[in-house]
Amino acid sequence: MNILLLGSGGREHALAWKLAQSPRLKSLYIAPGNAGTAEVGVNVPLSATDFPALKAFALEMAIDMVVVGPEDPLVKGVYDFFKADPMVAHIPVIGPSQSGARLEGSKEFSKGFMDRHHIPTARYLSVNKDNLEEGVAFLNSLKAPYVLKADGLAAGKGVLILSDLDEAVKELGTMLDGKFGEASRTVVIEEFLSGIECSVFALTDGRHYKILPVAKDYKRIGEGDTGLNTGGMGAISPVAFADERFMDLVEKRIIRPTVDGLHAEGIVYTGFIFFGLINVGGDPFVIEYNARMGDPETEVVMPRLKSDLIDLLEAAAKGTLDKVALEVDDRYAVTVMLVSGGYPGDYVKGKVITGCDASSDSLIFHAGTSRKEGALVTNGGRVLAITSYGASKQEALAASFKRASAIQFEGRYFRSDIGFDLP
Ligand code: AMP
Ligand code: GLY
């Protein structure tokens, strides 16, 4: 099978690494990819959102399946673009339709969807300039802290959590005035939920689904979850509190109703659903949906997946996910992200990376790297994700920590406490 994978981060390197292990793979192309994906496939210098160019490439290379990594092409309608064009409509696209991608692309839509299907989530009110007073009254009815979310995509920055009511009212105004551009012309105000979070992933064909290993990511820059939010500093799988009892509730109250709800609303969805969950006293609530896999969660989820990924994706495209089995590695997997100095603020790209040779005890997934005159250099805030297995969390973390320490580039930083809040 010839596969075209869209994206360029650590998630895509992990997906590419897993696809490359399938005996069914003939050629793997990654658009645009990074220095890591170039080790397991062929990078193609095309933007993941340049749909006409992707179509031409798919025809030229006889692509049999398109796998979409990031949300951007999904929210912009890559699925619908392919399906609407008779020349490429036959090529399965793994990812939701544009309508399905609204689960991630619009908080207002996703909250309404959860309401319609009785899926547990925080109480909310959707506000724009026309019902601002109602919004202020809703804020007054809540207890601190206050959660304000830009309706649209805001590069992961559109959520504000404020401890002061006056400040929340003020920020609501500035968001509606365009603090996050068009994305915050509508704002969702939410009740604050207190608990521990985890990331649950399902692959669906629109009717059936398979639940992938559960992971937890660590978003803050500093040890002990302190400091600024990042794209993710590491991840761990499995997550001890996501035990059989919890996951039974997740499936019954959240996953099944989500897949059934999409179907009932006529929303085409053949791809990954990311359930950002919070455990409130043993009960799961949805914090957010994403229409894709998580990053860096994919860097621990794919290593724990024993089943052939092409078999699973093909079943998702054909509507036969109920006919395939999903096998999972029992071991722990931990990934530690090496980031550029200054990240998530300003940082300098192009730093030479050394010590990154293949090793038997850890997997190295590239997030932001490229090649300059043959040398491996940094090309983003998040640079490399170092994943290790272990019989325990401690063993896996120690292996990643050791491997991470051996890799050098100027300004390199990583957190050594991934999984600290789990047993
Ligand atoms: P989101 O982009 O919706 O995932 O929000 C970003 C982060 O804000 C989440 O990962 C949570 O840590 C936090 N958050 C969002 N909504 C809530 C809520 N209703 N209660 C508590 N924390 C929240
Ligand atoms: N790790 C969170 C995300 O991918 O959105």
Side-chain angles (χ1 to χ4, degrees):
M1 196 182 272
N2 297 326
I3 297 186
L4 172 60
L5 170 65
L6 307 186
S8 62
R11 166 183 48 216
E12 286 72 29
H13 189 187
L15 289 169
W17 167 85
K18 183 67 186 162
L19 289 168
Q21 286 167 36
S22 172
R24 301 184 54 203
L25 183 73
K26 199 164 138 222
S27 300
L28 174 62
Y29 301 96
I30 309 96
N34 61 35
T37 60
E39 288 167 13
V40 285
V42 178
N43 286 352
V44 194
L46 296 176
S47 156
T49 52
D50 186 349
F51 302 160
L54 296 173
K55 170 193 162 184
F57 182 83
L59 288 172
E60 186 191 337
M61 296 301 178
I63 294 298
D64 300 299
M65 180 185 280
V66 177
V67 181
V68 188
E71 62 277 17
D72 224 28
L74 294 168
V75 171
K76 292 193 169 122
V78 66
Y79 180 95
D80 312 73
F81 178 90
F82 271 75
K83 294 303 137 187
D85 189 324
M87 287 176 81
V88 284
H90 63 283
I91 303 175
V93 176
I94 301 300
S97 62
Q98 190 167 27
S99 173
R102 284 180 301 166
L103 281 186
E104 172 162 6
S106 167
K107 301 273 187 204
E108 183 179 44
F109 173 81
S110 74
K111 295 297 279 190
F113 178 87
M114 286 186 266
D115 257 4
R116 291 194 291 281
H117 302 289
H118 313 291
I119 294 167
T121 187
R123 285 194 302 129
Y124 80 105
L125 182 73
S126 183
V127 180
N128 56 41
K129 283 202 163 161
D130 298 331
N131 66 340
L132 177 58
E133 276 178 33
E134 208 189 331
V136 173
F138 185 63
L139 277 174
N140 272 285
S141 76
L142 297 172
K143 282 202 213 95
Y146 307 92
V147 182
L148 303 178
K149 299 187 174 182
D151 171 55
L153 293 183
K157 296 193 170 74
V159 176
L160 300 182
I161 298 184
L162 304 157
S163 50
D164 182 72
L165 179 61
D166 291 338
E167 201 190 340
V169 171
K170 204 174 112 222
E171 280 295 351
L172 175 61
T174 61
M175 285 177 84
L176 294 174
D177 279 338
K179 178 176 179 135
F180 300 106
E182 284 309 306
S184 67
R185 297 287 175 194
T186 297
V187 172
V188 167
I189 304 174
E190 275 187 23
E191 168 189 38
F192 182 84
L193 297 177
S194 189
I196 186 161
E197 291 175 58
C198 66
S199 305
V200 171
F201 302 95
L203 175 66
T204 182
D205 59 18
R207 294 308 292 269
H208 321 99
Y209 55 83
K210 284 278 179 265
I211 303 174
L212 304 176
V214 181
K216 185 173 195 303
D217 77 337
Y218 293 80
K219 291 200 181 83
R220 303 295 196 90
I221 188 74
E223 308 257 317
D225 280 342
T226 53
L228 292 174
N229 255 324
T230 71
M233 295 299 294
I236 182 168
S237 177
V239 176
F241 70 80
D243 54 13
E244 209 178 310
R245 188 202 72 89
F246 185 79
M247 289 308 293
D248 279 348
L249 294 179
V250 170
E251 184 168 5
K252 191 166 104 242
R253 295 178 185 169
I254 294 171
I255 299 177
R256 184 80 259 173
T258 298
V259 173
D260 288 349
L262 289 167
H263 181 72
E265 295 192 19
I267 296 173
V268 175
Y269 205 120
T270 50
F272 297 103
I273 312 177
F274 172 153
F275 303 85
L277 304 182
I278 189 163
N279 177 350
V280 183
D283 290 314
F285 286 75
V286 178
I287 289 278
E288 65 163 351
Y289 286 113
N290 293 309
R292 52 171 173 84
M293 287 297 293
D295 194 352
E297 290 96 325
T298 307
E299 290 94 303
V300 289
V301 172
M302 286 301 136
R304 291 196 61 223
L305 190 64
K306 281 198 192 161
S307 312
D308 186 296
L309 184 57
I310 295 185
D311 286 346
L312 287 169
L313 298 181
E314 187 180 55
K318 286 191 172 154
T320 55
L321 265 179
D322 56 328
K323 307 275 192 312
V324 294
L326 188 140
E327 259 194 284
V328 171
D329 192 318
D330 287 335
R331 287 176 295 175
Y332 270 84
V334 172
T335 198
V336 170
M337 191 67 76
L338 271 56
V339 305
S340 298
Y343 175 80
D346 294 339
Y347 56 85
V348 180
K349 295 182 187 177
K351 301 290 182 195
V352 175
I353 305 167
T354 58
C356 204
D357 327 301
S359 89
S360 51
D361 37 296
S362 297
L363 300 162
I364 301 180
F365 296 121
H366 293 225
T369 62
S370 65
R371 294 253 169 218
K372 206 161 102 191
E373 291 150 19
L376 185 65
V377 297
T378 65
N379 191 38
R382 294 195 289 174
V383 178
L384 297 164
I386 315 298
T387 299
S388 308
Y389 294 105
S392 66
K393 174 190 91 171
Q394 289 78 6
E395 200 179 297
L397 183 60
S400 275
F401 188 56
K402 187 168 157 222
R403 194 71 188 83
S405 304
I407 297 173
Q408 300 295 339
F409 56 87
E410 194 187 314
R412 181 211 64 181
Y413 168 78
F414 60 89
R415 269 179 68 171
S416 59
D417 68 339
I418 301 307
F420 78 95
D421 54 351
L422 297 173

